Amino acid sequence: MLEKNRLRIALQKSGRLSSESYNLLIKCGIKINFQHNQLIAFAENMPIDILCVRDDDIPGLIVDKVVDLGIVGENVLEEKLFIKDNVKKKKFYNLLIRLDFGICRLSLAIPKNSAYYGLDSLKNKRIASSYPNLVTQFFYKKSIPFKLCILNGSVEVAPRAGLADVICDLVSTGTTLEANDLKEVQTVFNSQACVICRLGHIENSKQIIINKLMNRINGVIKARESKYIMLHAPISKLNEIISLLHGAENPTILKLAGEKNRVAMHMVSSETVFWETMEKLKSLGASSILVLPIEKMLE
Ligand code: ATP
Ligand code: ZN
């Protein structure tokens, strides 16, 4: 049974966002016992219930206030909550944070052998897409007429099947387009997974849990981007070494036993450390350079 005073979070049941969404909650310390094919899972250590649904249903569940939070792609949000001719965009949810996964773009693609000289070449063409609202909005703004062919799957085969001249579909690496002899010509919308919160009054007890969860999600994201760096360095080159490590703040300098001219440096960097940087550090005299992942971070 769903209890009213427990926070409800909707996640995609199975698909591209599922495992990263579940893992994010688990990294936030929520103990959930997921059973295969279960619609609802209950957290054991926090007053949180998880609803496992199709991603397309998440915007509606938020608008109808059935759930308090949801993790969903911005593409689905925009498509589902788009209202034709809405001049003043009505607010349906609060976007709390972008999660840096589920990164993709909704793009227009045409057969490789078709000529393309800008968007005008798509005038009056048949465009197949599962995103009728986003496509319509895009072409409406450009004042380019087109014919819409709504398909809910296998959009990429539409040109070969003679159903459409152009497709508008989600792309991440481009391999699906490549495999179907299509070329990407224009991005329509950039997307990633995000946490959204319903509008309206939220009980204090629930708001406390939301705040706690959002702090932890922030910590997980920060930790994912950050690295712990340890190295030994000649004292004479400390400044040059620090300036190479962008995003590293206030390094800790430690004495090295039996060494007068070298010290150990420990620091957290908010950026990935590339091999090129490590090689430069080495050429400045640094040694024993370690770059470690950080699991959690609370500032
Ligand atoms: P459901 O059964 O939940 O409706 P689905 O088939 O609509 O699932 P998925 O293919 O699992 O959806 O994609 C879910 C979301 O993952 C997309 O809406 C998008 O935000 C994101 N995504 C990231 N990369 C891609 C990609 N290359 N192709 C499709 N979606 C992607
Ligand atoms: Zn879907």
Side-chain angles (χ1 to χ4, degrees), residues 44 134 140 260 269:
E44 293 166 16
L134 286 176
Y140 179 78
K260 267 196 190 145
S269 170

Side-chain angles (χ1 to χ4, degrees), residues 32 64 74 126 140 151 181 184 236 262 276:
I32 322 161
D64 295 339
E74 293 176 277
R126 295 168 303 161
Y140 179 78
L151 290 179
D181 263 337
E184 188 176 352
S236 58
R262 295 173 72 78
E276 289 75 9

Side-chain angles (χ1 to χ4, degrees), residues 12-17 53-56 72-76 102-104 131 170-173 191-193:
Q12 188 187 24
K13 184 182 167 72
S14 79
R16 289 175 200 259
L17 302 182
V53 295
R54 283 197 59 190
D55 66 344
D56 312 60
V72 68
E74 293 176 277
N75 53 319
V76 173
I103 295 172
C104 58
Y131 293 85
L170 292 176
V171 183
S172 48
T173 57
S191 178
Q192 59 178 291

Side-chain angles (χ1 to χ4, degrees), residues 81 141 152 159 184 191 193 200 236-237 252 254:
L81 301 181
K141 279 190 188 153
N152 283 322
E184 188 176 352
S191 178
S236 58
K237 293 287 169 62
T252 307
L254 302 160

Side-chain angles (χ1 to χ4, degrees), residues 70-140:
I71 298 184
V72 68
E74 293 176 277
N75 53 319
V76 173
L77 265 180
E78 280 289 316
E79 177 64 27
K80 296 286 166 195
L81 301 181
F82 177 78
I83 297 180
K84 256 190 176 166
D85 302 327
N86 62 339
V87 186
K88 282 186 212 144
K89 247 190 160 181
K90 199 176 157 206
K91 209 173 170 198
F92 293 104
Y93 57 86
N94 280 324
L95 196 156
L96 300 186
I97 194 168
R98 292 191 168 85
L99 294 169
D100 219 19
F101 65 76
I103 295 172
C104 58
R105 55 195 185 274
L106 186 68
S107 277
L108 294 164
I110 58 173
K112 270 189 184 163
N113 55 13
S114 301
Y116 184 75
Y117 46 87
L119 280 176
D120 272 338
S121 38
L122 306 184
K123 203 170 173 178
N124 294 322
K125 297 280 192 223
R126 295 168 303 161
I127 305 182
S129 184
S130 316
Y131 293 85
N133 289 329
L134 286 176
V135 178
T136 307
Q137 181 180 220
F138 179 80
F139 280 96
Y140 179 78

